[in-house]
Amino acid sequence: MADKVPVELGGTDFTQVFIAIFIIVITLVLFAIYKKRKSSRQGILLTGICDSGKTLIFSQLIHNKHIQTHTSIKENVANFSNEKENLRIIDIPGHERLRDKFFEQYKDITKGIIYVVDSNTITQDVRDAAEFLYNILVDPIILKNKPNLLILCNKQDYTFSKGGSAVKAIFEKELNTLRVTKSNQLESVDAKAKKAALLGNPEEDFDFATLPLKIDIAESYAYHKNGTVDIEGVKKWLARL
Ligand SMILES: Nc1nc2c(ncn2[C@@H]2O[C@H](COP(=O)(O)OP(=O)(O)OP(=O)(O)O)[C@@H](O)[C@H]2O)c(=O)[nH]1
């Protein structure tokens, strides 16, 4: 009977097997961390400048009722489920002294942003509204996590409110100017920061479509003197998230 020849794994073979297993384990661990981080982002930020209607939209969405609102000084938070998952709607104050602080607090867990606009006063308020939107769009955490963004053109019950496409055009025009001003202001020599500040292709007029975030526009009114409300656009967007 022929002797069995022992199969030996040389030192190099062991090292290769060990490296392969190590890489697989690390990949699985990193994948699990990525999935966990992604699923922990359940926040939907209702944001925008003062008086755009965030708290009333929050109340209509969560409690289905009209309330008398006041300038918010703290956030309102509530659970909201779409067909796929549980979300947390966070209505943050629009006051300029507060909004950045609350945005900083919640941006890490943000899965979607509803940027509420008073479509009746947008022409007068465009600088403030566009600057806050700009700060959101160039934020490194937002650029990394790429939450979906809904520009919600609220207060459509007013006769002379701007419609969705007009609001979009107003923002694009203002952001076009703002990105150049901001980029020039940047003292940092960090090329990456400068590139982010430029928002899209600096050679062309600013266009939301060139941003890495998925951006939608919808119209709404959270109040009407005839007693009706229309926040269907927000509901549909939330359902699609
Ligand atoms: N006509 C009309 N009024 C609205 C609408 N949405 C909100 N309002 C009114 O606008 C005012 C401001 O609404 P809020 O919901 O408090 O606005 P906000 O964005 O939460 O304001 P801050 O807390 O200051 O950030 C209130 O008087 C609301 O009743 C709307 O669609 N149409």
Side-chain angles (χ1 to χ4, degrees):
M1 208 167 70
D3 285 342
K4 277 195 186 154
V5 181
V7 180
E8 275 186 27
L9 280 177
T12 333
D13 295 328
F14 265 130
T15 316
Q16 282 170 351
V17 170
F18 179 76
I19 290 175
I21 293 174
F22 182 74
I23 290 174
I24 292 170
V25 170
I26 291 289
T27 310
L28 289 175
V29 169
L30 290 178
F31 184 68
I33 293 174
Y34 167 77
K35 288 286 273 184
K36 190 159 189 295
R37 284 230 177 122
K38 209 171 172 207
S39 64
S40 68
R41 287 202 297 272
Q42 296 175 317
I44 305 296
L45 283 194
L46 259 171
T47 189
I49 64 171
C50 252
D51 271 348
S52 48
K54 301 176 290 295
T55 305
L56 196 51
I57 290 169
F58 177 87
S59 174
Q60 293 288 6
L61 206 54
I62 304 297
H63 308 295
N64 207 11
K65 69 171 187 193
H66 178 86
I67 51 160
Q68 200 64 45
T69 61
H70 307 279
T71 302
S72 308
I73 50 165
K74 64 185 210 43
E75 74 276 48
N76 295 301
V77 184
N79 292 332
F80 182 92
S81 300
N82 66 13
E83 277 172 24
K84 287 174 260 165
E85 60 192 326
N86 295 322
L87 302 168
R88 279 179 83 66
I89 310 267
I90 305 148
D91 157 35
I92 61 175
H95 193 285
E96 59 180 336
R97 295 226 189 98
L98 299 172
R99 62 195 179 207
D100 293 337
K101 175 186 144 213
F102 283 98
F103 175 68
E104 285 299 312
Q105 185 179 335
Y106 288 105
K107 66 182 183 183
D108 279 304
I109 59 143
T110 296
K111 183 185 174 71
I113 299 173
I114 303 171
Y115 193 84
V116 185
V117 179
D118 181 338
S119 318
N120 189 41
T121 58
I122 184 62
T123 317
Q124 300 95 281
D125 295 341
V126 65
R127 284 191 94 150
D128 195 16
E131 182 153 15
F132 186 32
L133 181 59
Y134 169 90
N135 290 339
I136 293 172
L137 293 173
V138 297
D139 186 280
I141 299 285
I142 297 300
L143 287 173
K144 179 162 121 347
N145 294 344
K146 301 183 183 57
N148 287 3
L149 173 73
L150 176 69
I151 297 178
L152 185 62
C153 309
N154 193 38
K155 303 202 183 183
Q156 291 294 322
D157 54 302
Y158 284 106
T159 317
F160 296 109
S161 281
K162 301 284 181 200
S165 38
V167 171
K168 178 172 173 274
I170 290 170
F171 269 125
E172 284 180 334
K173 186 161 179 273
E174 190 65 24
L175 287 166
N176 202 33
T177 317
L178 200 56
R179 63 178 178 168
V180 179
T181 324
K182 291 277 185 180
S183 172
N184 291 342
Q185 278 170 1
L186 265 187
E187 284 170 24
S188 153
V189 283
D190 183 349
K192 219 171 151 193
K194 270 209 149 199
K195 194 165 167 254
L198 278 169
L199 276 186
N201 183 356
E203 306 296 317
E204 288 167 14
D205 284 346
F206 176 75
D207 180 349
F208 280 115
T210 59
L211 297 185
L213 277 63
K214 184 173 182 325
I215 301 181
D216 290 290
I217 314 274
E219 297 175 352
S220 68
Y221 53 90
Y223 171 81
H224 195 296
K225 58 180 186 294
N226 69 12
T228 60
V229 167
D230 180 3
I231 53 166
E232 282 311 302
V234 195
K235 289 184 177 168
K236 282 189 187 143
W237 180 80
L238 285 167
R240 282 201 312 266
L241 265 184

